[in-house]
Amino acid sequence: MLTRNCLSLLLWVLFDGGLLTPLQPQPQQTLATEPRENVIHLPGQRSHFQRVKRGWVWNQFFVLEEYMGSEPQYVGKLHSDLDKGEGTVKYTLSGDGAGTVFTIDETTGDIHAIRSLDREEKPFYTLRAQAVDIETRKPLEPESEFIIKVQDINDNEPKFLDGPYVATVPEMSPVGAYVLQVKATDADDPTYGNSARVVYSILQGQPYFSIDPKTGVIRTALPNMDREVKEQYQVLIQAKDMGGQLGGLAGTTIVNITLTDVNDNPPRFPKSIFHLKVPESSPIGSAIGRIRAVDPDFGQNAEIEYNIVPGDGGNLFDIVTDEDTQEGVIKLKKPLDFETKKAYTFKVEASNLHLDHRFHSAGPFKDTATVKISVLDVDEPPVFSKPLYTMEVYEDTPVGTIIGAVTAQDLDVGSSAVRYFIDWKSDGDSYFTIDGNEGTIATNELLDRESTAQYNFSIIASKVSNPLLTSKVNILINVLDVNEFPPEISVPYETAVCENAKPGQIIQIVSAADRDLSPAGQQFSFRLSPEAAIKPNFTVRDFRNNTAGIETRRNGYSRRQQELYFLPVVIEDSSYPVQSSTNTMTIRVCRCDSDGTILSCNVEAIFLPVGLSTGALIAILLCIVILLAIVVLYVALRRQKKKDTLMTSKEDIRDNVIHYDDEGGGEEDTQAFDIGALRNPKVIEENKIRRDIKPDSLCLPRQRPPMEDNTDIRDFIHQRLQENDVDPTAPPYDSLATYAYEGSGSVAESLSSIDSLTTEADQDYDYLTDWGPRFKVLADMFGEEESYNPDKVT
């Protein structure tokens, strides 16, 4: 690459000494319109219409990256045809890296790179160059733009950015099965040379896997790779640039490949016969042993199903799979008995649940083994001949009577004797006893079926050789009934017969009840007692179905003659011994209507007048009640009227003081009573202030008559008012009746001198004597005051 660059520079120097030769006048050109290759323009004749204008045109420059020389790297030279070599032209450089990365000789136009460049950091630089007059500082040429491109070298190795890799492939995969694709990245320029052309290869992992040199795809290289032989593989992959040629850079990564399992192995029993020992006392459903078939596969491919092959002993045992260990757990389905059978043999088959059809040709994926079970003898408790004993005994059986027996045996080899006893937890009352050797059960007390009809208790049998080994059985004893109670008539014991009854009428159906436990088909018979069969008023008709009817024998019955009849009825049962009882029924004579409906059975009804019905009696009573109510109401109205008359006959109610026992709510009670009826109707309209409570001090305007005030009456009222205010024995203020209206006036006119314009000295009270005896006291009082008036004493 360096050789090529030097050759380019040499060719440039050979043409016109490295200078840009004059060109024919052209329109203003830029670098963008120039071709990539170097173009040398030779001088030529200019026509008369062409403008003399010089400019420079050059290709892009190249500079090597990672230059490590001691001197600055020469890039190129700029020169204008206006530069005659007299030192009047100055060259300037601006743009990317001007002054920091690239420098220019202002006189010669030589460009140098002053530091090492990295293409991966910045692939090219865009700069601008200009030639100016050194004295006038004016541009001699228009400013032009050019590019310095960093020439790539192979300084970056390929890198696996996603490594290390993890991949899986099923075991037993064919050759060429896809595993994984890897990719390496080279930071060098892929468009220049082979610096970025990567080739892949395997450094470690052969001959199991291969890789495509161009694509990086990893595939299997060997057939039938078995996971059970080797599961993990580590493959080392190399990526080398320069197309893998000598001198290229390389990078590596690791690919961890795991073979996944397939069901390519059937289960196998490690041995053909399994021996198990089981005690005969093992409970049903318990696990009595485990067997296991080995499957080298993994996960669901190693799941095994166990089955018992039908045959000897297969119906006594069952086998299930333990999901955690994949073992076959043998369980007991039925009880074992050493004395009956001491050994069992059967076959167990183990097979895979999830099969792979690709391996069916390898044979069946199952295996068979033989299981031999030996039953161990265990010292067992005695065994009763029955699971439940049921016995019967009649009540009142004598004490000590044997009613049955139980039997238990020791079935073990070398059997032992058995002892019996009653479990007192179930028979705490000790109604029965048992013979410890024979097992016979006898009564210990008298039994009563009506008290307890059934007994339920347990018998325990134990071995003499080992008393701790016991067994228990339930005993159910039914107490049979003995006919000891006579039958009795069922309710009712009292019935009624109409006075107008006819002979042969059934007035009551009776039945019987027996406290004994009556056997099926028990029959009761009914009849009259012998003493009542002579001239009976009633008889008993037996219907032969455990019921009977009471039948009349007379034509009519009279309550006046006899109200009650007593009928003795004899009832017998059909059990042995026969029991009977006499039951007396009470028959009451009642009055009935023509349809036989009972109207009255009371004794008082006998004394009622003949022909008077109950409805008539009720109507009479109702009339009496109404009359009594009218009388009470009339008397009450009369009393009220008399009271009103007495009130009105007295003096006008306004002259009376009303007295109340209720003292009211005090002075604040404004609802004591309404005396509006006592007020002057004219004043009511003008003044709405209540007079029954103490009023507040109000300054109300008051119209006075044009006459002089007479202070005698006013002083008298004030004096009396003050006396009552200070008197502690006086009733409350709101208990006093005040009157605002004194009447419509009298012929004597007003006695008050409050509104009088005359003075007391000018008042003459002699006319009071002319008003009659009713004003005599008033006339005497004012006459005395006048006669004793100190003002008139001279």
Side-chain angles (χ1 to χ4, degrees):
M1 190 66 191
L2 181 60
T3 303
R4 180 181 176 183
N5 293 335
C6 294
L7 182 60
S8 300
L9 292 175
L10 179 60
L11 291 175
W12 186 26
V13 171
L14 291 178
F15 284 98
D16 203 12
L19 302 177
L20 295 178
T21 58
L23 300 177
Q24 295 291 336
Q26 306 249 352
Q28 187 176 358
Q29 297 177 344
T30 63
L31 180 64
T33 60
E34 295 301 321
R36 179 185 175 112
E37 294 80 13
N38 293 327
V39 178
I40 306 299
H41 298 274
L42 298 177
Q45 298 294 328
R46 295 190 297 269
S47 59
H48 64 277
F49 56 86
Q50 290 180 332
R51 178 174 60 89
V52 178
K53 172 72 174 173
R54 297 313 297 155
W56 58 75
V57 178
W58 57 85
N59 283 325
Q60 60 186 2
F61 292 121
F62 293 90
V63 60
L64 290 176
E65 70 169 333
E66 305 294 343
Y67 176 76
M68 304 301 293
S70 59
E71 298 293 332
Q73 184 180 3
Y74 179 76
V75 178
K77 183 179 182 65
L78 300 181
H79 187 74
S80 173
D81 56 357
L82 298 178
D83 186 1
K84 303 303 182 180
E86 298 175 353
T88 58
V89 178
K90 178 183 179 180
Y91 297 95
T92 61
L93 190 67
S94 63
D96 292 342
T100 58
V101 178
F102 302 100
T103 60
I104 187 171
D105 190 319
E106 295 180 351
T107 303
T108 63
D110 293 333
I111 301 174
H112 291 83
I114 61 176
R115 67 180 180 87
S116 177
L117 302 179
D118 187 1
R119 189 201 66 84
E120 287 71 36
E121 180 180 348
K122 188 174 180 64
F124 62 89
Y125 295 84
T126 302
L127 296 99
R128 294 181 301 279
Q130 192 169 26
V132 298
D133 188 285
I134 196 170
E135 294 180 357
T136 62
R137 302 295 182 182
K138 292 183 179 180
L140 299 177
E141 298 285 351
E143 186 179 57
S144 295
E145 186 176 81
F146 65 96
I147 294 175
I148 298 178
K149 191 171 183 180
V150 181
Q151 190 71 43
D152 183 52
I153 63 173
N154 189 19
D155 60 341
N156 291 281
E157 74 277 5
K159 294 183 180 179
F160 292 92
L161 301 180
D162 297 329
Y165 296 88
V166 176
T168 59
V169 62
E171 65 173 336
M172 297 298 177
S173 296
V175 175
Y178 176 85
V179 178
L180 180 69
Q181 183 178 14
V182 297
K183 186 176 181 180
T185 302
D186 195 324
D188 291 327
D189 189 0
T191 63
Y192 180 76
N194 295 326
S195 298
R197 189 163 69 89
V198 179
V199 175
Y200 300 95
S201 62
I202 294 181
L203 300 181
Q204 176 184 330
Q206 295 175 338
Y208 304 104
F209 301 96
S210 64
I211 188 169
D212 189 301
K214 294 182 180 181
T215 62
V217 174
I218 302 174
R219 299 181 183 274
T220 58
L222 286 181
N224 302 326
M225 285 191 294
D226 193 355
R227 185 197 67 85
E228 288 74 33
V229 176
K230 185 176 181 180
E231 183 178 6
Q232 299 287 340
Y233 294 86
Q234 190 175 77
V235 180
L236 182 61
I237 304 296
Q238 174 185 269
K240 190 174 183 181
D241 59 10
M242 298 298 291
Q245 298 177 3
L246 185 64
L249 302 178
T252 60
T253 187
I254 293 176
V255 180
N256 294 311
I257 301 176
T258 303
L259 297 183
T260 58
D261 185 64
V262 297
N263 191 10
D264 59 336
N265 294 284
R268 291 288 183 263
F269 285 107
K271 54 185 179 179
S272 59
I273 299 177
F274 291 88
H275 292 276
L276 300 177
K277 294 181 180 181
V278 182
E280 64 174 338
S281 59
S282 299
I284 295 175
S286 62
I288 61 175
R290 289 172 175 259
I291 62 174
R292 182 178 181 181
V294 178
D295 191 335
D297 292 326
F298 179 75
Q300 68 174 10
N301 296 322
E303 293 181 1
I304 302 175
E305 181 181 22
Y306 297 90
N307 292 289
I308 294 178
V309 179
D312 183 26
N315 57 345
L316 270 74
F317 304 95
D318 192 12
I319 188 169
V320 295
T321 302
D322 187 331
E323 295 182 357
D324 296 330
T325 63
Q326 294 300 313
E327 293 178 320
V329 181
I330 300 175
K331 294 186 176 182
L332 189 63
K333 291 173 59 177
K334 296 181 180 180
L336 302 175
D337 187 8
F338 175 81
E339 289 72 26
T340 303
K341 192 170 183 178
K342 298 178 176 59
Y344 296 90
T345 302
F346 55 89
K347 291 185 177 181
V348 174
E349 183 180 79
S351 60
N352 280 139
L353 289 176
H354 307 281
L355 299 179
D356 194 331
H357 62 86
R358 296 178 299 172
F359 305 101
H360 284 177
S361 59
F365 276 68
K366 59 184 178 180
D367 194 15
T368 304
T370 301
V371 178
K372 291 186 177 182
I373 296 179
S374 299
V375 181
L376 302 179
D377 186 26
V378 177
D379 196 7
E380 298 176 303
V383 178
F384 283 97
S385 59
K386 295 180 181 180
L388 175 67
Y389 289 87
T390 302
M391 303 176 185
E392 294 181 346
V393 60
Y394 282 98
E395 62 179 338
D396 297 334
T397 298
V399 176
T401 303
I402 296 175
I403 60 176
V406 297
T407 303
Q409 294 181 352
D410 181 15
L411 301 180
D412 292 329
V413 178
S415 59
S416 171
V418 178
R419 293 290 180 267
Y420 306 94
F421 56 93
I422 295 177
D423 185 5
W424 298 113
K425 295 179 181 179
S426 59
D427 185 28
D429 295 332
S430 303
Y431 287 99
F432 305 93
T433 60
I434 188 171
D435 188 288
N437 297 323
E438 302 296 332
T440 56
I441 300 174
T443 59
N444 195 37
E445 295 182 12
L446 289 177
L447 306 179
D448 184 10
R449 189 204 66 81
E450 286 70 32
S451 175
T452 304
Q454 190 178 74
Y455 293 89
N456 189 355
F457 58 93
S458 299
I459 298 294
I460 298 176
S462 65
K463 295 173 65 172
V464 175
S465 60
N466 189 355
L468 297 179
L469 294 176
T470 61
S471 59
K472 185 183 295 185
V473 70
N474 288 333
I475 307 298
L476 186 64
I477 299 179
N478 295 317
V479 181
L480 302 179
D481 184 54
V482 176
N483 193 22
E484 55 183 340
F485 294 100
E488 296 178 352
I489 193 170
S490 302
V491 292
Y493 288 97
E494 183 174 335
T495 186
V497 63
C498 294
E499 287 183 313
N500 55 359
K502 303 297 181 182
Q505 288 184 352
I506 301 299
I507 61 174
Q508 182 67 50
I509 302 297
V510 295
S511 59
D514 195 339
R515 287 188 295 169
D516 293 319
L517 181 62
S518 301
Q522 173 78 290
Q523 292 291 327
F524 298 106
S525 61
F526 302 85
R527 69 175 187 275
L528 284 179
S529 64
E531 61 273 12
I534 304 172
K535 297 182 65 176
N537 293 305
F538 303 91
T539 187
V540 177
R541 181 189 298 180
D542 193 349
F543 295 136
R544 304 298 180 184
N545 59 356
N546 290 340
T547 61
I550 308 301
E551 184 180 2
T552 59
R553 297 292 300 275
R554 290 176 50 181
N555 188 7
Y557 298 86
S558 175
R559 285 187 295 169
R560 294 179 180 274
Q561 296 179 0
Q562 186 174 350
E563 181 187 4
L564 299 176
Y565 291 90
F566 300 98
L567 183 65
V569 179
V570 178
I571 305 176
E572 292 183 352
D573 59 20
S574 59
S575 299
Y576 180 83
V578 176
Q579 299 287 346
S580 64
S581 65
T582 300
N583 302 266
T584 302
M585 291 191 62
T586 302
I587 302 174
R588 184 180 298 275
V589 181
C590 298
R591 185 168 59 86
C592 305
D593 57 10
S594 58
D595 296 333
T597 303
I598 297 176
L599 298 178
S600 176
C601 292
N602 297 329
V603 179
E604 292 80 1
I606 300 176
F607 303 99
L608 293 177
V610 179
L612 188 59
S613 64
T614 303
L617 179 61
I618 294 174
I620 293 172
L621 293 176
L622 185 61
C623 292
I624 294 173
V625 171
I626 293 173
L627 290 175
L628 289 175
I630 293 173
V631 170
V632 171
L633 181 61
Y634 176 75
V635 171
L637 291 175
R638 290 286 297 174
R639 288 182 177 180
Q640 184 65 27
K641 186 175 181 182
K642 182 177 180 182
K643 183 177 180 180
D644 293 343
T645 304
L646 291 175
M647 292 291 293
T648 54
S649 65
K650 294 181 180 180
E651 205 171 350
D652 192 354
I653 190 170
R654 291 174 297 175
D655 297 334
N656 298 326
V657 175
I658 301 175
H659 176 72
Y660 295 91
D661 292 334
D662 182 11
E663 294 183 357
E667 295 183 357
E668 295 182 356
D669 188 0
T670 59
Q671 303 295 332
F673 57 88
D674 187 7
I675 60 171
L678 303 178
R679 298 183 179 179
N680 190 340
K682 297 180 181 179
V683 178
I684 292 176
E685 297 298 330
E686 297 176 358
N687 189 3
K688 299 296 183 179
I689 301 176
R690 292 186 57 171
R691 302 296 297 275
D692 55 328
I693 60 175
K694 186 175 182 179
D696 297 332
S697 298
L698 298 175
C699 297
L700 299 176
R702 183 175 180 181
Q703 296 181 358
R704 294 179 178 271
M707 59 183 65
E708 274 187 28
D709 265 348
N710 194 335
T711 60
D712 296 333
I713 300 300
R714 183 176 60 191
D715 296 339
F716 174 77
I717 293 174
H718 288 171
Q719 181 181 359
R720 292 294 183 267
L721 180 58
Q722 292 176 0
E723 291 176 356
N724 282 277
D725 286 342
V726 300
D727 187 4
T729 61
Y733 178 77
D734 53 5
S735 298
L736 296 178
T738 61
Y739 303 99
Y741 181 50
E742 297 182 356
S744 59
S746 64
V747 295
E749 297 181 350
S750 176
L751 299 178
S752 175
S753 62
I754 295 176
D755 296 330
S756 177
L757 297 177
T758 60
T759 61
E760 186 178 356
D762 298 334
Q763 186 68 31
D764 186 7
Y765 299 103
D766 293 339
Y767 60 87
L768 294 176
T769 57
D770 298 333
W771 287 358
R774 297 183 63 181
F775 297 91
K776 183 177 183 300
V777 177
L778 187 60
D780 294 340
M781 180 179 63
F782 280 95
E784 292 177 1
E785 290 180 358
E786 184 178 2
S787 59
Y788 293 98
N789 193 344
D791 296 336
K792 294 183 179 182
V793 178
T794 57

